[in-house]
Amino acid sequence: MSDLAVRLGPTITPDPRRVIVKLFVPGEDAALTRTRAAALIDRIMLLDTDMMTDMLKETLRRFGGRHHDLEATFAHHHDLVRHRVPRNADLSRPARLLVGAYFSHEYAVEGAAVCNPSMIPHPDQSGLRPGQLRVAISLRQIGEGHLSSIGFATALLGPHAELEITDRSGALSVGRRHRTHHRRDLLAAGLSDDAWDNEVSAAMLESLPERFDDDDFEQAIGRLPADLVTRTTTQRTLEEMRRATRSDYAVAFPADLPLHRRVLWPATADESNGMEDARFVQVIDEDGRPSYRATYTAYDGRHIRSHLIASDDLRHFEITPMRGPAAANKGMALFPRQVGGRSLALCRSDGETIGLTTLDQHNTWQPPVPLHVPHRGWELIQVGNCGSPIETGFGWLVLIHGVGPMRDYAMGALLLDSDQPDRVIAELPGPLLTAGTAERDGYVPNVVYSCGGLVHGDALWLPYGESDARIGFARVPVSALVEAMRSSR
């Protein structure tokens, strides 16, 4: 079946020039942490004014062109460590910026690898030739320490089988984080998931409005009855509630910053060790307006959690955790619209089976209905989706992956009933795509993996990761793919 997928020429390879600026505190990277921050600040303050000015100018000359608004970043990093500056010190602006520069370092977001893409229509479809579609491609970027973030690329599809990747150069930005209003129903679902549903959390939830901010939360604590405040478990419950609300955040980018220069960077404890495998999909709301949603895996070094990204324009992003039994594992993928009045998603809550889950009235993803279990040689270890279902005239097309001997990943396909997507009506009997000779070597060998393609014209356009190292592209005629499937009825 692999002859159905025609590989296209362009690839996306890791570019070590794509760097952001991170906070750097000397000593914190040592095996035995002993911050050397105070001693460093003391040494900086011994420099005379001319030396400080010259050092700052030289630093901005060398690094300013590689970053978006580097002076603002230096000022922010100074503010983060200013508690170590002697209270009687009155630092000039150049001195503050130089302190910030010493507490900064560059980080290559894709210094190790780039992989696991998804593809959606770009918000800007202006200036195209007939038969063209501009697409946004989400990327899993992996840097030093196997830390993953979410980046983007832009490409043009068509006419016919043409594919052009837009230049990815330019200074990157992690955007500006904004406060957001939390949802009481999601907080309640999270407390239930984590077994913190008790008298204190119940009283807090009753006191909070449907949408609340951090000030509302602290005021609700002040209204707790005294006999609850004195319970031995109260402070731990409140800390768990704070942790849950801190998982919600929003980040925005300047309107004039191109999509390929925007980076969604880990911002909470839940995702402190990475944001992995974003599955973006364009969704249509009840008013017929398009917007974007994505699921991704938040990893804190020990636990994985499914989180949701919502955006109207791929410039302003709101991030919230996903709750419920089906969201307990990685690999959720949303349907692009409601089916029969229900919000649906594919999942793999047991780690090895593709299931279908429904969002209930409390915004909790319910236990899944099994759709596809490992049963063929190339997928006996586990199966999972490769992105959101794609609506076609034949049914919901679902790209899947399977894992076989030697942890060899391959991609296949299922077809679900249009009106009853819990029914698999056909499946491809063999793999659609396996790692070719030039694709099997990389950061994680023998892997082809996608987080979502789309249909343009009469073809499926499929971006995929090659051995967790780089990204390739393939094109498959939809009618030929469906014709090669075998009925499951």
Side-chain angles (χ1 to χ4, degrees), residues 382-396:
Q382 68 189 46
V383 292
N385 70 73
C386 279
S388 291
I390 301 168
E391 191 166 16
T392 74
F394 305 98
W396 293 103

Side-chain angles (χ1 to χ4, degrees), residues 189-426:
L191 294 171
S192 179
D193 282 353
D194 297 335
W196 287 100
D197 182 7
N198 57 35
E199 289 77 13
V200 174
S201 60
M204 285 288 293
L205 291 170
E206 187 174 346
S207 182
L208 291 169
E210 289 187 14
R211 299 296 294 262
F212 64 95
D213 60 19
D214 294 340
D215 291 337
D216 295 327
F217 183 86
E218 297 304 322
Q219 291 168 14
I221 293 177
R223 293 191 292 269
L224 280 175
D227 48 354
L228 288 182
V229 172
T230 56
R231 298 188 67 180
T232 57
T233 59
T234 295
Q235 292 307 312
R236 180 69 190 280
T237 298
L238 293 176
E239 185 52 39
E240 286 298 318
M241 295 185 76
R242 285 193 180 94
R243 182 196 61 77
T245 58
R246 284 195 292 265
S247 297
D248 304 340
Y249 67 95
V251 60
F253 296 87
D256 60 350
L257 188 75
L259 179 61
H260 70 271
R261 291 169 56 189
R262 302 170 192 171
V263 175
L264 295 179
W265 183 256
T268 68
D270 283 353
E271 56 196 31
S272 55
N273 273 58
M275 306 168 73
E276 303 178 357
D277 299 348
R279 288 160 160 81
F280 274 85
V281 63
Q282 188 180 61
V283 299
I284 306 298
D285 65 20
E286 295 178 355
D287 298 327
R289 292 177 300 181
S291 60
Y292 303 94
R293 299 289 183 273
T295 60
Y296 71 93
T297 301
Y299 180 49
D300 67 3
R302 295 181 59 196
H303 307 100
I304 55 174
R305 301 172 187 267
S306 291
H307 282 210
L308 176 70
I309 300 171
S311 178
D312 289 335
D313 53 9
L314 300 184
R315 187 176 75 84
H316 181 273
F317 301 85
E318 294 189 358
I319 288 86
T320 55
M322 302 177 76
R323 304 300 188 184
N329 211 312
K330 58 174 63 178
M332 292 193 72
L334 304 172
F335 278 66
R337 64 170 178 84
Q338 288 194 338
V339 183
R342 298 182 298 159
S343 296
L344 303 175
L346 301 175
C347 65
R348 194 180 64 191
S349 57
D350 67 353
E352 60 184 23
T353 302
I354 299 175
L356 179 72
T357 178
T358 304
L359 187 67
D360 70 9
Q361 67 271 26
H362 303 296
N363 281 291
T364 300
W365 291 97
Q366 293 300 292
V369 175
L371 284 181
H372 182 73
V373 301
H375 65 279
R376 296 168 295 190
W378 61 274
E379 60 174 15
L380 285 184
I381 292 178
Q382 68 189 46
V383 292
N385 70 73
C386 279
S388 291
I390 301 168
E391 191 166 16
T392 74
F394 305 98
W396 293 103
L397 177 62
V398 176
L399 297 171
I400 68 171
H401 70 267
V403 185
M406 291 292 290
R407 198 171 176 260
D408 188 18
Y409 275 66
M411 292 178 59
L414 305 176
L415 196 64
L416 310 182
D417 185 89
S418 294
D419 301 318
Q420 296 177 281
D422 57 338
R423 294 180 56 240
V424 179
I425 58 177

Side-chain angles (χ1 to χ4, degrees), residues 137-160:
I137 303 168
S138 72
L139 316 171
R140 177 180 175 183
Q141 306 170 141
I142 306 174
E144 178 187 355
H146 197 76
L147 184 58
S148 296
S149 58
I150 300 171
F152 299 94
T154 300
L156 294 175
L157 309 184
H160 310 299

